[in-house]
Amino acid sequence: MPGRSTGPISLDDCSGQFDVEAQNGPIHVSGGSGRVHVRTENGPIGVALSGSTWSGDGLEARAINGPVRLVIPAGYRSGTVVESLGRSPFQCRGDACAAGRRTWDDRFRRFELGEGPMRVRLSTANGPISVRSGRDLEEEEDEE
């Protein structure tokens, strides 16, 4: 499903093929299968993974001048990478953070989780990154 939007886009429990772009609007993706490509300029991307692996070709999400937020279950096994250009703030809370592999310098930040091919790829240029997982998710739900 190709598409371009100027408003909020939500792909809930998605599977199949999606190629979506947004201008100034948020994109939210949840689920764990298919071939999903999302891009936004001046808007946030939120991804909530489910299950323990990504089934299918993968998810690629790219924000320009927007934040990226990843919610990942504890023990998620598919290769997952979150990248940022510049000095974007990076926050990681929960079980996955201790197991993640980090590559940091002044111009590039990369955080990898899981094993095998990188089926889930999130990136931002000039936006903050937030990763949440495991017990941290349960505590966050209790606060709401």
Side-chain angles (χ1 to χ4, degrees), residues 82-87 103-110:
V82 182
E83 299 173 315
S84 70
L85 293 175
R87 297 178 185 223
T103 304
W104 252 234
D105 64 30
D106 286 342
R107 296 194 26 78
F108 183 75
R109 294 180 182 198
R110 181 179 175 100

Side-chain angles (χ1 to χ4, degrees), residues 25-29 38-49 59-72 80-85 88-93 109 111 113 120-132:
I27 298 176
H28 177 75
V29 177
V38 297
R39 287 170 297 287
T40 185
E41 190 170 334
N42 302 319
I45 294 178
V47 173
L49 298 174
L59 165 67
E60 185 173 331
R62 178 169 170 74
I64 298 173
N65 298 323
V68 170
R69 178 182 169 132
L70 172 64
V71 176
I72 187 167
T80 302
V81 63
V82 182
E83 299 173 315
S84 70
L85 293 175
S88 300
F90 183 96
Q91 182 183 59
C92 190
R93 292 179 50 196
R109 294 180 182 198
F111 183 69
L113 296 160
V120 178
R121 296 180 162 277
L122 285 77
S123 65
T124 183
N126 303 319
I129 292 175
S130 171
V131 177
R132 303 279 186 268

Side-chain angles (χ1 to χ4, degrees), residues 4-76:
R4 184 169 180 85
S5 174
T6 57
I9 298 171
S10 186
L11 303 173
D12 296 322
D13 296 321
C14 65
S15 63
Q17 283 192 205
F18 295 90
D19 191 9
V20 177
E21 292 184 36
Q23 181 76 30
N24 300 325
I27 298 176
H28 177 75
V29 177
S30 68
S33 66
R35 186 193 67 76
V36 181
H37 290 218
V38 297
R39 287 170 297 287
T40 185
E41 190 170 334
N42 302 319
I45 294 178
V47 173
L49 298 174
S50 60
S52 60
T53 61
W54 186 273
S55 175
D57 289 347
L59 165 67
E60 185 173 331
R62 178 169 170 74
I64 298 173
N65 298 323
V68 170
R69 178 182 169 132
L70 172 64
V71 176
I72 187 167
Y76 197 78

